[in-house]
């Protein structure tokens, strides 16, 4: 008997700098490999989403963050990749550390982009978050 498939939870962070640029990461792995994404990742079992976003940003980028507010929740459903995530996205600010790519096995690049000059190849959750920011 096939195991029942359930949605997963993944968190993301909108990190803006003083020049109104947004920090994106270029994904090496599915879902949406080769696309620019907000930094973030999977929520662990029994982990609060707020704790998950702080942990994931520390693991990926080596920085500490403070959550300002919940921006949106995305239904991240990609039938072709058999992917279904529910993805809360937070607006956060850096409180400590310098941004570095701490997960080169998963992330091709980490780069700041002017908010009105986004690359074309962005993920579903990034696109949804940007629409909510405007």
């Amino acid at each position: 008997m096939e195991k029942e498939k359930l949605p997963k939870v993944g968190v993301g962070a909108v990190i803006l700098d003083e020049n109104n640029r947004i920090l994106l990461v270029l994904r090496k792995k599915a879902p949406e490999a080769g696309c620019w994404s907000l930094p973030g990742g999977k929520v662990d079992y029994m982990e609060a989403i707020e704790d998950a976003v702080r942990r994931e940003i520390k693991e990926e980028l080596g920085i500490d963050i403070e959550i300002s507010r919940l921006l949106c929740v995305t239904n991240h459903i990609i039938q072709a990749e058999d992917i279904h995530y529910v993805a809360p996205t937070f607006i956060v600010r850096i409180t400590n550390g310098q941004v570095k790519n701490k997960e080169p096995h998963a992330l091709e690049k980490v780069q700041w982009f002017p908010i009105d000059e986004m690359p074309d190849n962005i993920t579903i959750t990034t696109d949804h978050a940007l629409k909510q920011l405007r």
Side-chain angles (χ1 to χ4, degrees), residues 35 38 64 70 87 90 100 113 123:
C35 290
L38 297 171
D64 296 316
L70 178 67
F90 296 91
K100 296 184 213 59
F113 288 92
T123 63

Side-chain angles (χ1 to χ4, degrees), residues 6-8 10 31-32 73-87 123-126 128:
L6 296 169
K8 297 176 181 165
E32 298 184 275
V73 178
T74 304
N75 293 299
H76 190 210
I77 299 170
I78 308 172
Q79 301 230 342
E81 291 188 48
D82 195 27
I83 296 290
H84 182 178
Y85 276 93
V86 176
T123 63
I124 293 167
T125 51
T126 304
H128 185 71

Side-chain angles (χ1 to χ4, degrees), residues 53-64 102:
V53 76
R54 284 188 283 266
R55 174 185 53 76
E56 283 288 349
I57 298 307
K58 184 72 168 179
E59 288 173 4
E60 281 188 3
L61 304 173
I63 55 174
D64 296 316
K102 305 280 277 178

Side-chain angles (χ1 to χ4, degrees), residues 21-112:
R21 296 181 308 164
I22 190 168
L23 189 65
L24 298 180
V25 297
L26 186 57
R27 299 180 58 82
K28 281 187 180 179
K29 297 181 173 183
E32 298 184 275
C35 290
W36 289 96
S37 177
L38 297 171
K42 295 176 188 163
V43 177
D44 292 337
Y45 183 68
M46 300 299 276
E47 182 180 37
I49 56 175
E50 297 85 357
D51 293 337
V53 76
R54 284 188 283 266
R55 174 185 53 76
E56 283 288 349
I57 298 307
K58 184 72 168 179
E59 288 173 4
E60 281 188 3
L61 304 173
I63 55 174
D64 296 316
I65 58 165
E66 178 179 275
I67 296 170
S68 298
R69 67 179 176 90
L70 178 67
L71 174 65
C72 62
V73 178
T74 304
N75 293 299
H76 190 210
I77 299 170
I78 308 172
Q79 301 230 342
E81 291 188 48
D82 195 27
I83 296 290
H84 182 178
Y85 276 93
V86 176
T89 300
F90 296 91
I91 295 179
V92 307
R93 66 179 195 83
I94 299 170
T95 57
N96 188 41
Q98 295 293 317
V99 173
K100 296 184 213 59
N101 183 355
K102 305 280 277 178
E103 294 187 344
H105 61 283
L107 306 175
E108 183 76 32
K109 286 186 203 169
V110 175
Q111 186 174 326
W112 292 96

